[in-house]
């Protein structure tokens, strides 16, 4: 059973639309599960028996091409929802990039609960549309943008999506992963990724106090670089 009252993402997750008694009922269906970095929760094309709210950490959504290559098609952060309600198969693999914690539900039980609570279904619809918009943005990022545009877009997105209370960098934010993972996300080599970050620092656009800390100094110029 999951304790919704003490959930750190309660006000931002899809269950924020539920009344206290409804949240308690849903909580009785869920359980908290810690996920080690590298562990896969859902496999692409397989039966998807569970759905989950992300409580902490970052997970990646991955699809494979016919020749076996893999592409990261999205990132999932705290308060995001993973899995496919009202569907049987997962369209992508869901793997933890960092140690994470999720509140996990049996998909059939969750579907039955959502069917009795139209406001939860509406919240799911809004999340699905947001995810679609994000996927379209991701396609543009990977397919059309140059290396400088990709890195600038990525930093702006991370500043927006990472929880403010996770930052130990005054005026900035702390990335939950390293340079190699950033390169994998953006479809770049690690050398290109590091070169772009170094150039942005030399131009005064950002500060990089440590390997994972980032402070954007000139948001307007970074946004212009992102295209």
């Amino acid at each position: 059973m999951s304790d919704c009252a003490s959930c750190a993402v309660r006000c931002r997750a899809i269950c924020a639309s539920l009344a206290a008694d409804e949240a308690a009922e849903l909580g009785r269906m869920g359980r908290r599960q810690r996920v080690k970095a590298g562990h896969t929760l859902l496999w692409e094309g397989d039966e998807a028996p569970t759905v989950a709210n992300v409580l902490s950490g970052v997970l990646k959504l991955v699809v494979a091409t016919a020749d076996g290559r893999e592409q990261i098609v999205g990132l999932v952060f705290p308060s995001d929802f993973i899995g496919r309600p009202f569907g049987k198969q997962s369209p992508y693999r869901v793997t933890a990039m960092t140690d994470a914690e999720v509140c996990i539900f049996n998909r059939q039980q969750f579907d039955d609960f959502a069917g009795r609570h139209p406001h939860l279904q509406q919240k799911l619809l809004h999340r699905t549309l947001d995810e679609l918009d994000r996927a379209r943005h991701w396609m543009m990022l990977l397919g059309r943008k140059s290396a400088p545009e990709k890195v600038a877009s990525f930093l702006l997105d991370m500043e927006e999506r990472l929880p403010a209370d996770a930052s130990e960098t005054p005026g900035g934010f702390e990335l939950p992963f390293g340079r190699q993972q950033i390169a994998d996300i953006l479809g770049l080599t690690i050398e290109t990724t590091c070169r772009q970050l170094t150039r942005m620092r030399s131009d005064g656009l950002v500060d990089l106090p440590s390997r994972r800390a980032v402070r954007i100094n000139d948001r307007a110029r970074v946004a212009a670089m992102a295209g």
Side-chain angles (χ1 to χ4, degrees), residues 55-82:
L55 305 180
S56 65
V58 181
L59 300 95
K60 60 183 178 180
L61 311 179
V62 181
V63 297
T65 62
D67 60 3
R69 289 176 296 167
E70 295 183 343
Q71 177 62 58
I72 298 173
V73 296
L75 299 178
V76 185
F77 292 86
S79 82
D80 284 344
F81 188 78
I82 55 177

Side-chain angles (χ1 to χ4, degrees), residues 80-95:
D80 284 344
F81 188 78
I82 55 177
R84 180 56 64 92
F86 309 108
K88 293 185 176 180
Q89 290 184 327
S90 176
Y92 36 65
R93 191 176 83 229
V94 181
T95 299

Side-chain angles (χ1 to χ4, degrees), residues 31-33 35 41 52-55 59 82 100-104:
R31 58 182 174 85
R32 294 194 177 196
Q33 178 176 326
V35 186
L41 276 178
N53 279 325
V54 181
L55 305 180
L59 300 95
I82 55 177
E101 186 177 17
V102 298
C103 182
I104 199 163

Side-chain angles (χ1 to χ4, degrees), residues 3-139:
D3 181 8
C4 295
S6 65
C7 177
V9 300
R10 170 79 168 89
C11 63
R12 295 180 285 132
I14 58 163
C15 42
S17 63
L18 299 175
D21 59 332
E22 296 170 329
E25 181 184 354
L26 182 62
R28 287 191 290 271
M29 301 178 191
R31 58 182 174 85
R32 294 194 177 196
Q33 178 176 326
R34 295 189 181 275
V35 186
K36 288 289 187 182
H39 178 75
T40 294
L41 276 178
L42 296 171
W43 292 92
E44 180 184 3
D46 281 1
E47 179 81 11
T50 59
V51 295
N53 279 325
V54 181
L55 305 180
S56 65
V58 181
L59 300 95
K60 60 183 178 180
L61 311 179
V62 181
V63 297
T65 62
D67 60 3
R69 289 176 296 167
E70 295 183 343
Q71 177 62 58
I72 298 173
V73 296
L75 299 178
V76 185
F77 292 86
S79 82
D80 284 344
F81 188 78
I82 55 177
R84 180 56 64 92
F86 309 108
K88 293 185 176 180
Q89 290 184 327
S90 176
Y92 36 65
R93 191 176 83 229
V94 181
T95 299
M97 293 190 76
T98 69
D99 288 348
E101 186 177 17
V102 298
C103 182
I104 199 163
F105 304 92
N106 174 276
R107 181 182 54 79
Q108 187 59 61
Q109 286 185 330
F110 183 89
D111 289 354
D112 291 344
F113 180 87
R116 301 193 306 272
H117 297 83
H119 44 298
L120 179 60
Q121 290 190 54
Q122 186 177 41
K123 192 82 170 180
L124 282 168
L125 175 60
H126 289 164
R127 285 295 178 105
T128 300
L129 294 174
D130 287 345
E131 185 177 326
L132 179 60
D133 289 342
R134 193 170 292 124
R136 288 168 173 162
H137 172 75
W138 198 275
M139 289 172 62

Side-chain angles (χ1 to χ4, degrees), residues 99-222:
D99 288 348
E101 186 177 17
V102 298
C103 182
I104 199 163
F105 304 92
N106 174 276
R107 181 182 54 79
Q108 187 59 61
Q109 286 185 330
F110 183 89
D111 289 354
D112 291 344
F113 180 87
R116 301 193 306 272
H117 297 83
H119 44 298
L120 179 60
Q121 290 190 54
Q122 186 177 41
K123 192 82 170 180
L124 282 168
L125 175 60
H126 289 164
R127 285 295 178 105
T128 300
L129 294 174
D130 287 345
E131 185 177 326
L132 179 60
D133 289 342
R134 193 170 292 124
R136 288 168 173 162
H137 172 75
W138 198 275
M139 289 172 62
M140 173 64 75
L141 175 68
L142 294 177
R144 294 293 182 182
K145 290 194 172 186
S146 65
E149 290 171 333
K150 286 183 178 183
V151 174
S153 297
F154 173 80
L155 293 181
L156 291 171
D157 191 39
M158 292 300 99
E159 183 186 47
E160 178 183 345
R161 299 193 69 193
L162 288 171
D165 59 2
S167 174
E168 297 180 2
T169 308
F173 54 94
E174 197 86 10
L175 291 169
F177 30 66
R179 299 287 197 267
Q180 182 61 64
Q181 289 171 307
I182 296 172
D184 292 341
I185 291 166
L186 298 178
L188 301 172
T189 65
I190 188 171
E191 292 81 9
T192 297
T193 301
C194 292
R195 186 163 55 248
Q196 295 304 323
L197 288 170
T198 300
R199 183 174 299 167
M200 292 177 72
R201 180 179 60 187
S202 298
D203 291 343
L205 301 182
V206 300
D207 283 336
L208 304 172
S210 69
R211 291 290 294 173
R212 298 195 177 195
V214 180
R215 183 187 300 110
I216 297 178
N217 296 327
D218 192 329
R219 192 168 287 98
R221 289 176 65 194
V222 174

